Amino acid sequence: MATILVTGGAGYIGSHTVVELVKAGYDPIIFDNFSNAKPAVLDRIKQICGRRVPFYAGDIRVYDQLAQVFAQNKIDGVIHFAGLKAVGESVNKPLEYYDNNVNGSRVLLQVMRDYGCKNFIFSSSSTVYGEPDALPLTEQSPIKRANSPYGQTKIDIEYMAQELQHAHPDFSVVLLRYFNPVGAHESGLIGEDPQGIPNNLMPYITQVAVGRRECLSIFGNDYPTPDGTCIRDYIHVVDLALGHVAALNHCLDKAGVHIYNLGTGVGYSVSDMVKAFSKVLGHELPHKFAPRRAGDVVACYADASKAKNELGWVATHTLDDMCRDAYNWQKNNPNGYDD
Ligand code: NAD
Ligand code: UFG
């Protein structure tokens, strides 16, 4: 089976994808600098998979560190998760974001080209669509100038990879635009472990649920939506991981640019999320309304039919599954991988 280099494979989505790659018979190799991950995740992956997954500590911005992996292994394809992802932080640290994300991706693509590896799968985001003109979002929806350096790096990397494919037509470039990944592996062994105060909704909710934080602030209840709170397309991280396996199965060695939305196609409001989570918890999650957060789009959800028709992939986990698995992970690991 094919050997797949997974940059950022120790992170949240990367670790779940490594597990599903092993299950599907691929041979993943993890490459990560642990800037936003803990080494403990490697043992957890081993517990789930029943075998150790090869691992290199390194930074994608350092050519020689990546080249060593390609020199020592025949890499058939790369799934590229490594990067910085905090929208708010990126506003204050734009250079760090362009360096890690855009420059890091450039170095990675250069190493791939030099070593003749032609399969590239990239973690893009629905953020490339900006504030949508129409919903649901299809892959044809216009790309809008991002309202954060983070979002702009996703757009820049998409263009860079497409331009490389144009110059080297035998490359297969897959751009996967994720909607809102949440939840955790059902074992409760791996999950999302943000450092500091969580920026994202689900980890904030789970930390309130286990008593690490007092109360969830819902940012804005005066949006033009049925209940006044923002709408997103939340997708279980295991479905997302399986989306990568489906993309590999379909696009490996298939020259061209392949773009897919990975979402469920269903939008839920922040209040819907609080209700669903409270049901799993058995009592109401402490929450209050707070002012709007700068930069939030009102509503965003996918038309995921292209992935269904071409990859044979659909998200199957329900909102209850997402809440149950996220809570199970946080209950088992109240302080994340530090336990
Ligand atoms: P994460 O922070 O958990 O994982 C990223 C991993 O990359 C971490 O393990 C980190 O240590 C590593 N890393 C960062 N910079 C690196 C570098 N220079 N060299 C080597 N390793 C490096 O994030 P995640 O949620 O798993 O996201 C993975 C990818 O998916 C990111 O590119 C992110 O932008 C993208 N994405 C995430 C979301 C989301 O909501 N989580 C949504 C859309 C897209
Ligand atoms: N929210 C709250 N309270 C919180 C945290 C979030 O009310 O404490 C609300 C937000 O205002 C928003 C919704 O919950 O309405 C979802 O917010 P998230 O921060 O969880 O997710 P975003 O949609 O803002 O962004 C996420 C990732 C981005 C990615 C985007 C699309 O953070 O990196 O999904 O994939 F680009």
Side-chain angles (χ1 to χ4, degrees):
M1 254 298 201
T3 300
I4 307 298
L5 179 67
V6 185
T7 73
Y12 172 47
I13 305 171
S15 57
H16 288 82
T17 301
V18 164
V19 165
E20 297 308 323
L21 286 171
V22 171
K23 254 170 90 179
Y26 286 99
D27 287 323
I29 296 177
I30 296 172
F31 184 93
D32 203 295
N33 70 354
F34 290 112
S35 59
N36 196 35
K38 301 271 171 58
V41 74
L42 301 173
D43 294 330
R44 304 289 184 88
I45 291 173
K46 184 178 168 199
Q47 274 187 63
I48 297 171
C49 295
R51 74 162 170 94
R52 206 185 72 81
V53 171
F55 161 73
Y56 286 80
D59 193 304
I60 53 164
R61 292 167 294 177
V62 183
Y63 184 97
D64 291 345
Q65 291 180 1
L66 276 172
Q68 187 193 10
V69 185
F70 284 79
Q72 292 176 354
N73 305 273
K74 189 194 159 296
I75 305 291
D76 298 294
V78 176
I79 305 183
H80 177 36
F81 295 105
L84 302 178
K85 63 160 185 176
V87 176
E89 181 187 66
S90 76
V91 175
N92 298 320
K93 296 183 172 178
L95 299 183
E96 282 80 355
Y97 273 69
Y98 281 97
D99 182 35
N100 243 283
N101 295 4
V102 181
N103 180 41
S105 301
R106 179 190 64 76
V107 175
L108 171 62
L109 288 168
Q110 198 178 326
V111 176
M112 289 177 65
R113 188 193 59 191
D114 293 352
Y115 282 82
C117 176
K118 299 186 172 68
N119 290 291
F120 181 68
I121 297 186
F122 175 57
S123 294
S124 190
S125 168
S126 60
T127 196
V128 302
Y129 298 120
E131 181 79 62
D133 298 327
L135 289 166
L137 287 156
T138 74
E139 291 79 358
Q140 306 301 322
S141 298
I143 302 295
K144 303 255 186 75
R145 200 196 143 66
N147 55 9
S148 74
Y150 165 75
Q152 193 59 42
T153 67
K154 292 293 171 196
I155 296 175
D156 291 354
I157 298 163
E158 282 204 4
Y159 280 122
M160 178 167 57
Q162 292 186 75
E163 281 153 6
L164 177 72
Q165 200 286 327
H166 189 67
H168 299 272
D170 50 350
F171 256 80
S172 166
V173 164
V174 185
L175 308 176
L176 300 179
R177 295 180 181 153
Y178 312 156
F179 283 67
N180 286 56
V182 296
H185 191 263
E186 64 174 5
S187 64
L189 287 167
I190 54 174
E192 192 169 8
D193 181 19
Q195 304 306 300
I197 301 170
N199 298 306
N200 299 117
L201 179 63
M202 187 60 101
Y204 205 104
I205 287 179
T206 58
Q207 292 195 9
V208 171
V210 298
R212 255 174 90 177
R213 319 240 161 237
E214 248 172 48
C215 178
L216 172 75
S217 293
I218 297 181
F219 299 139
N221 63 342
D222 57 351
Y223 283 100
T225 62
D227 64 21
T229 66
C230 290
I231 291 174
R232 295 288 182 276
D233 184 340
Y234 297 94
I235 174 170
H236 196 293
V237 66
V238 172
D239 279 329
L240 190 63
L242 289 168
H244 292 74
V245 174
L248 257 183
N249 292 343
H250 184 75
C251 301
L252 201 66
D253 296 328
K254 201 171 183 187
V257 173
H258 315 278
I259 303 179
Y260 297 102
N261 284 341
L262 295 183
T264 65
V266 181
Y268 288 106
S269 72
V270 180
S271 290
D272 290 334
M273 294 298 284
V274 171
K275 275 192 205 117
F277 198 92
S278 298
K279 205 170 81 189
V280 165
L281 196 57
H283 60 84
E284 186 163 269
L285 184 91
H287 65 277
K288 62 178 186 221
F289 292 113
R292 291 182 176 196
R293 181 173 74 175
D296 275 339
V297 302
V298 179
C300 171
Y301 51 91
D303 176 337
S305 55
K306 187 176 177 214
K308 181 181 178 191
N309 296 336
E310 294 186 10
L311 305 179
W313 171 89
V314 282
T316 58
H317 290 79
T318 64
L319 190 58
D320 285 356
D321 298 334
M322 300 179 211
C323 293
R324 183 200 62 222
D325 292 340
Y327 183 42
N328 184 42
W329 149 256
Q330 194 76 75
K331 255 190 325 193
N332 290 342
N333 308 270
N335 297 310
Y337 289 109
D338 282 340
D339 280 2

